[in-house]
C-alpha cells in the first residue's frame, strides 16, 4: 500500500509495513512484568563474561551507568565518547532534578502514581509496560546515587530534600541545587573511571562513531574516527549499545551542547533500526532569547522560575517602551488570562505555544520581537529580595551574565527553545532495536516519554536504562547468542569502513564556498519555522520540498578546509550535517503523517474549538516506527498502544 | 567593535607553534567570546585557511570543555568559563591574546586544544566511592548532616576544566585533586576508602607530571566555580592522616 501525503519531491510518500506484533513485554499483572522478565532471562556464567565484548557509545547518564555496570558484572566493555573526557557528556547540563517514587514525604506518592503521571504527561503515546518499569526502578536509582556519594540537597535532619516539579501534585524530585545532572553524571563517571583504571573498560575518548557494523543480521561493531589523528578504526564486539543522546541539534539552535549529534542513531537507522516518532520534540518555554544572528546556542533557565515569575507582554502590538514604563493596565498576563486555574504553571508545550502566539501577533519584546517578559516584581514585593535571591539567585546571575540585564530590576526576557527529543530509535521491552544485538538507551531511544516528557524525568530514564534495565536484558541476549568470531577483514566489515572513508573524502572534495555552519543554520531555521512549535500540512510540505534542495546545494557548495588525517572540526560538523538532512526529512514526514496534535506535536489543523490541542486516539493511538528503505520511501510500522491501566483522557488546563 | 586577536596556532602536538595576528570586525557586546571566535573561523574557512581549533561543548559553563588563556588569565578577565565570557568586557580596538592552557601535564594537541586526560587518571586512581550497581542500601539508611552535604556539594561543583593548573606557576593539580578528596571524604559513604583514596590520588597526581603546590593561590582565583584554597588545606590534612 502506498500513501500519498505530499505531491512534492523528496519523500513523496511512505508505505505501510506490517504492524509491530511483539514488543517482548511479558503479560500478566503490570506490577510483576519486570520481575518476570528478569527471572526468565538467561544468565551468562561469570567465568564466561570476560570473553564477551560489549561496545557502549556515549558516556552520559545512560552510557556511563551502563558501561560501569556491565564492567562490574565482568564483561569486557569498549566505550567511546567524542568529548575529551567522559565527564563532559551533555547530561552534565541538566539542572532541575530527578524524579523517584520514594514517597519520603508521605504525600501520597507511589510507583503507580509516577507511572500514571508519566503516561498522562506523555499524552498517551508511550508503552505502559516500559513506563511502569521506569517508575519501579526509580526508587533504586536514588539509593545507588547516594551510595556513590552524589551530594543531593538535604534537610537539617540529614535526610534528603525533595521539591515538586512540572505541575505534579507530589514532591518527588530529588536535586542538587541547579546542577543535578552534573552531580549524577559525575557519580556515573566516577564509577566508570574505577572500571577504566581496573582495566575492565577500554575507553576511547575524542573518538566519534561514524557507522554501525551489521554482520549476518546482528550488530557486531562500529566504525569510529579518532578525532585527533583522523584515523578510522573498526571495533568489533558481541553487542553494541547506543547511548548517544537526542537529536535536538538538528534545529541548530537548541539547548543541547554544540557537539551533540544524531549520526550514531541515524547510521543505525540506515542499517536497519527503526526510528520511532521523530516528530516528538520538546520545546522548553523558559530559555534566554537569541540576541542576534551570531547566536550559537540557547541557554535554558530552569522551569522552576515560573513558580514565582509572572509572564506578560504589552497589550498593544509594536509597543517598544521599556517594560517598567508600561503601566499595569496595558500589560497582558496572557497565561493567567487564558488559563485562570493553572496560570503561569501550565505544561511546557502550552506555555511555549502561547508565547509564540503573542509574538506572532507582534507583541513580542526584545530584539526581533522574539521574547516575552518573566517578571519577578510582584514576587520581590511579596517575598522580599532575599527570599527571591535564595530561590533563584544562581539563575538570576546566569541571566545577568548573558544579557547584562538585572532581573531584580527589569523583567527577564524568555522565549521557547528546542530542548529534548522524545522520539528516537524504536526499542522493545528489552531496549533492543530492530537490529538484534543493537540496544539503545537514554534519550537515544523513544521508550518512555510518549509525546511529551515531564520535568525531571530525563535523568531518571537515563539512569534507569543504564544501571538497572539494560544490564539484565543484555545479559539475556548474550546468553542466547553464541560467540561467533569475526575479524576486521570480513567483507561486510570492510564495506562499512570503506563507505565511511568515502563519505569523508567526498565532503573534503566538494571545495565550494559555504561553511558547514551556514547550511546548518539554514536547515535549523527551516525546521524551526515549519516543524517547530506549530506545524501545518502546508508548512511541512514546504519543508519537505526545501530540504532536498538545500542538501543538493550542500553537496555543491560545501567548503571544508584541511584534510581528514588531522583534528578537523569543520569535517566533523559537515559529516554530522549529512545525517541531519535525512533526519530532518523523516521528522517532517512523521509530523505530516500524524495529523493530530499530541504532546510536543501541535498540528494547527487539529485543535479543539477553543484552540487547544486535539488528540485523535482512534486514528493515531500508535507509535510510528519508520523503517529505512534504500530504494524507495520509508516504511511505516505501527506499534498500537494499549492502555489497560491509565485511561486516555483529553488534557485540559483551562 | 573591531579587535586584533593574537592567537596561538600550532598544527599538531610535535609541530612548532606561534602567535598569529588576526583582525576581526563587526563584534557586538552580546556575543560570547566563543561566538566571536566562531565569526573569525567562518571567515578563515571561506578564505581557505584552517579555522582555529578549540574545545567547547555545552556553552553554558558546566561541561568544562572550554579552555583558553585570554590576556594571560585562564578563562579571561571575569571569574567564569570562556563560554560565559561576553564581549561587553572588551572595548573597540583592543588587542586580545589567546593561548592554550599552559602546563607540561596538558600537552597541546592543536592550536588551543590540549590533552587533559591526566585528570581522568587522577579520578580513576581513587576519585570514587566503590558502590557496585545494585549493592546500595536505602538512601535514608545513613543520614548525612546538612553541613557536610553542602560542603561536599560545593567541592563536587568542580567542572574539571583545568584552569587551576593553567593558572599555577608550578602547574600543580592540587586544587583539582583536593576538590574531589574533600567531596568524597566528607561523606559517610566515602569513609571506608578515605585513606587509600587520598594516597592513590596524590600518587597519580605526582606521576602525571603536575608540579608541587607552593600556596600561591592563583588556582582558587582562576577557578570559575569558586572552589577555595581551603580545599588544599583539607587535602594536606587528609594526606597526613592517611600515612
Amino acid at each position: 500500500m502506498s500513501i500519498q501525503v505530499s505531491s512534492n519531491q523528496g519523500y513523496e510518500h511512505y508505505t505501510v509495513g506490517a504492524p509491530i506484533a511483539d514488543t517482548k513485554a511479558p503479560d500478566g499483572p503490570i506490577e510483576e512484568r519486570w520481575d518476570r522478565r528478569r527471572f526468565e532471562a538467561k544468565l551468562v556464567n561469570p567465568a564466561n563474561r570476560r570473553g564477551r565484548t560489549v561496545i557502549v557509545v556515549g558516556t552520559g547518564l545512560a552510557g556511563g551507568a551502563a558501561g560501569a555496570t556491565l564492567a562490574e558484572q565482568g564483561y569486557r566493555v569498549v566505550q567511546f565518547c567524542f568529548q575529551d573526557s567522559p565527564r563532559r557528556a551533555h547530561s552534565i547540563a541538566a539542572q532541575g532534578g530527578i524524579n523517584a517514587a520514594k514517597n519520603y514525604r508521605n504525600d501520597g506518592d507511589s510507583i503507580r502514581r509516577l507511572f500514571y503521571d508519566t503516561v498522562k504527561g506523555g499524552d498517551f503515546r508511550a508503552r505502559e509496560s516500559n513506563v511502569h518499569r521506569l517508575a519501579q526502578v526509580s526508587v533504586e536509582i536514588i539509593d545507588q546515587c547516594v551510595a556513590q556519594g552524589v551530594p543531593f540537597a538535604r534537610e537539617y535532619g540529614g535526610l534528603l530534600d525533595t521539591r515538586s516539579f512540572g505541575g505534579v501534585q507530589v514532591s518527588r524530585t530529588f536535586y542538587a541545587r541547579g546542577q543535578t545532572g552534573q552531580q549524577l553524571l559525575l557519580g556515573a563517571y566516577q564509577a566508570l573511571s574505577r572500571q577504566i583504571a581496573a582495566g575492565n573498560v577500554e575507553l576511547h575518548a575524542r573518538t566519534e562513531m561514524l557507522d554501525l557494523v551489521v554482520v549476518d543480521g546482528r550488530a557486531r561493531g562500529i566504525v569510529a574516527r579518532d578525532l585527533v589523528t583522523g584515523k578510522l578504526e573498526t571495533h568489533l564486539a558481541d553487542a553494541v549499545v547506543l547511548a548517544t543522546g537526542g537529536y535536538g541539534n538538528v534545529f541548530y539552535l537548541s539547548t543541547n551542547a554544540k557537539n551533540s549529534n544524531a549520526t550514531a542513531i541515524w547510521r543505525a537507522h540506515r542499517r536497519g533500526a527503526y526510528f520511532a516518532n521523530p516528530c516528538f520534540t520538546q520545546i522548553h518555554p523558559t530559555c534566554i532569547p537569541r540576541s542576534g544572528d551570531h547566536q550559537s546556542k540557547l541557554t535554558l533557565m530552569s522551569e522552576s522560575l515560573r513558580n514565582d515569575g509572572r509572564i506578560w507582554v504589552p497589550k498593544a502590538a509594536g509597543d517598544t517602551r521599556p517594560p517598567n514604563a508600561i503601566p499595569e493596565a496595558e500589560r497582558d498576563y496572557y497565561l493567567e488570562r487564558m488559563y485562570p486555574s493553572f496560570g503561569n504553571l501550565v505544561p511546557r508545550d502550552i506555555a511555549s505555544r502561547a508565547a509564540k502566539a503573542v509574538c506572532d501577533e507582534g507583541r513580542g519584546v526584545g530584539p526581533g520581537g522574539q521574547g516575552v517578559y518573566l517578571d519577578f516584581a510582584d514576587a520581590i514585593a511579596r517575598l522580599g529580595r532575599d527570599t527571591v535571591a535564595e530561590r533563584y539567585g544562581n539563575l538570576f546571575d546566569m541571566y545577568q551574565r548573558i544579557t547584562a540585564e538585572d532581573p531584580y530590576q527589569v523583567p527577564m526576557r524568555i522565549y521557547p527553545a528546542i530542548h529534548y527529543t522524545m522520539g528516537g530509535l524504536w526499542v522493545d521491552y528489552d531496549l533492543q532495536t530492530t537490529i538484534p544485538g543493537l540496544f539503545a538507551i537514554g534519550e537515544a531511544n523513544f521508550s518512555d516519554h510518549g509525546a511529551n516528557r515531564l520535568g525531571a524525568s530525563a535523568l531518571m530514564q537515563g539512569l534507569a536504562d543504564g544501571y538497572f534495565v539494560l544490564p539484565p536484558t543484555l545479559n539475556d541476549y548474550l546468553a542466547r547468542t553464541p560467540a561467533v568470531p569475526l575479524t576486521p577483514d570480513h567483507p561486510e566489515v570492510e564495506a562499512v569502513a570503506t563507505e565511511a572513508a568515502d563519505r569523508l573524502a567526498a565532503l573534503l572534495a566538494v571545495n565550494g564556498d559555504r561553511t558547514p555552519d551556514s547550511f546548518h543554520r539554514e536547515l535549523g531555521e527551516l525546521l524551526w519555522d515549519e516543524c517547530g512549535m506549530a506545524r501545518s500540512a502546508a508548512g511541512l510540505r514546504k519543508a519537505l520540498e526545501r530540504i532536498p534542495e538545500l542538501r543538493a546545494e550542500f553537496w555543491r557548495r560545501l567548503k571544508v578546509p584541511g584534510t581528514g588525517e588531522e583534528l578537523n572540526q569543520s569535517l566533523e560538523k559537515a559529516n554530522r550535517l549529512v545525517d541531519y538532512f535525512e533526519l530532518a526529512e523523516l521528522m517532517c514526514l512523521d509530523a505530516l503523517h500524524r495529523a493530530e496534535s499530541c504532546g510536543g506535536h501541535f498540528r494547527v489543523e487539529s485543535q479543539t474549538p477553543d484552540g487547544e490541542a486535539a488528540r485523535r486516539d482512534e486514528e493515531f493511538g500508535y507509535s510510528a516506527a519508520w523503517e529505512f528503505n534504500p530504494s524507495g520511501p520509508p516504511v511505516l510500522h505501527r506499534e498500537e498502544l494499549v492502555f489497560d491501566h491509565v485511561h486516555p483522557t483529553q488534557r485540559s488546563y483551562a | 567593535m573591531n579587535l586584533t586577536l593574537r592567537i596561538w596556532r600550532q598544527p599538531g602536538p610535535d609541530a612548532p607553534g606561534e602567535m598569529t595576528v588576526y583582525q576581526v570586525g563587526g563584534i557586538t557586546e552580546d556575543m560570547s567570546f566563543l561566538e566571536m571566535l566562531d565569526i573569525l573561523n567562518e571567515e578563515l574557512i571561506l578564505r581557505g585557511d584552517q579555522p582555529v581549533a578549540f574545545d567547547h561543548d555545552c556553552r553554558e559553563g558546566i561541561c568544562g570543555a572550554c579552555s583558553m588563556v585570554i590576556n594571560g588569565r585562564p578563562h579571561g578577565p571575569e571569574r567564569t568559563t570562556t563560554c560565559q565570557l561576553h564581549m561587553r568586557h572588551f572595548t573597540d580596538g583592543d588587542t586580545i591574546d589567546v593561548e592554550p592552557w599552559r602546563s607540561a601535564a596538558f600537552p597541546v594537541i592543536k592550536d588551543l586544544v590540549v590533552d587533559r586526560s591526566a585528570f581522568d587518571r587522577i579520578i580513576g586512581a581513587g576519585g570514587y566511592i566503590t558502590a557496585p550497581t545494585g549493592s546500595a542500601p536505602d538512601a535514608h539508611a545513613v543520614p548525612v548532616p546538612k553541613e557536610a552535604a553542602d560542603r561536599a556539594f560545593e567541592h563536587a561543583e568542580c567542572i574539571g576544566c583545568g584552569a587551576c593548573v593553567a593558572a599555577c606557576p608550578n602547574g600543580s593539580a592540587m586544587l583539582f585533586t583536593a576538590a574531589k578528596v574533600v567531596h568524597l571524604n566528607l561523606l559517610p559513604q566515602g569513609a571506608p576508602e578515605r585513606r587509600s583514596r587520598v594516597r592513590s590520588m596524590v600518587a597519580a597526581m605526582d606521576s602525571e607530571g603536575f608540579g608541587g603546590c607552593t600556596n600561591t593561590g592563583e588556582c582558587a582565583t582562576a577557578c570559575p566555580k569558586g572552589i577555595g584554597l581551603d580545599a588544599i588545606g583539607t587535602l594536606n590534612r587528609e594526606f597526613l592522616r592517611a600515612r
Side-chain angles (χ1 to χ4, degrees), chain A residues 11 209-212 214 242 244 262-278 424-426 433-435 438 440 444 579 582-587 589 624-630 632-637:
Chain A
Y11 286 145
M209 170 177 164
L210 298 189
D211 212 336
L212 179 74
V214 182
L242 298 186
T244 55
T263 286
I265 55 174
W266 189 258
R267 300 310 293 181
H269 173 59
R270 290 184 59 108
R271 298 275 168 206
Y274 294 179
F275 202 116
N277 301 331
L425 292 181
W426 185 90
T433 69
T434 48
I435 300 174
L438 179 70
D579 299 316
E582 294 185 3
L583 169 60
E585 272 190 279
L586 189 66
M587 284 170 68
L589 178 72
W626 296 95
E627 179 187 1
F628 181 76
N629 175 2
V635 183
L636 171 66
H637 299 270

Side-chain angles (χ1 to χ4, degrees), chain A residues 439-478:
Chain A
F439 294 76
I441 58 177
E443 193 179 349
N445 73 28
F446 88 119
S447 170
D448 296 338
H449 307 296
N452 178 54
R453 181 177 63 72
L454 290 179
S457 284
L459 304 185
M460 171 173 67
Q461 187 223 335
L463 290 181
D465 287 1
Y467 284 131
F468 296 108
V469 180
L470 177 82
T473 63
L474 184 66
N475 207 358
D476 180 62
Y477 171 80
L478 292 171

Side-chain angles (χ1 to χ4, degrees), chain A residues 69 72 85 88 104 143-144 149 158 160 179 189-190 206 258-259 296-297 401-402 515 566-567 569, chain B residues 35 42 50 54-60 63 88 110 120 127 131 133 138-140 144 157 160 180 183:
Chain A
T69 304
E72 285 161 9
S85 163
R88 305 206 202 284
Y104 282 156
D143 301 340
Q144 179 63 31
L160 294 165
Q179 286 148 253
Y189 157 73
Q190 287 162 198
R206 292 196 194 271
K258 289 294 288 177
N259 295 297
S296 61
K297 78 150 276 162
R401 189 178 289 290
I402 292 171
T515 65
E566 60 182 329
L567 177 65
Q569 292 169 326
Chain B
E35 286 169 345
E42 292 287 283
Q50 289 252 15
F54 60 88
D55 269 327
H56 67 107
D57 204 18
C58 79
R59 296 203 178 191
E60 48 188 275
C63 77
R88 64 181 70 96
K110 182 178 183 177
D120 291 323
T133 304
D138 184 87
H140 272 176
V144 180
E157 279 194 277
K180 189 49 64 189
H183 161 206

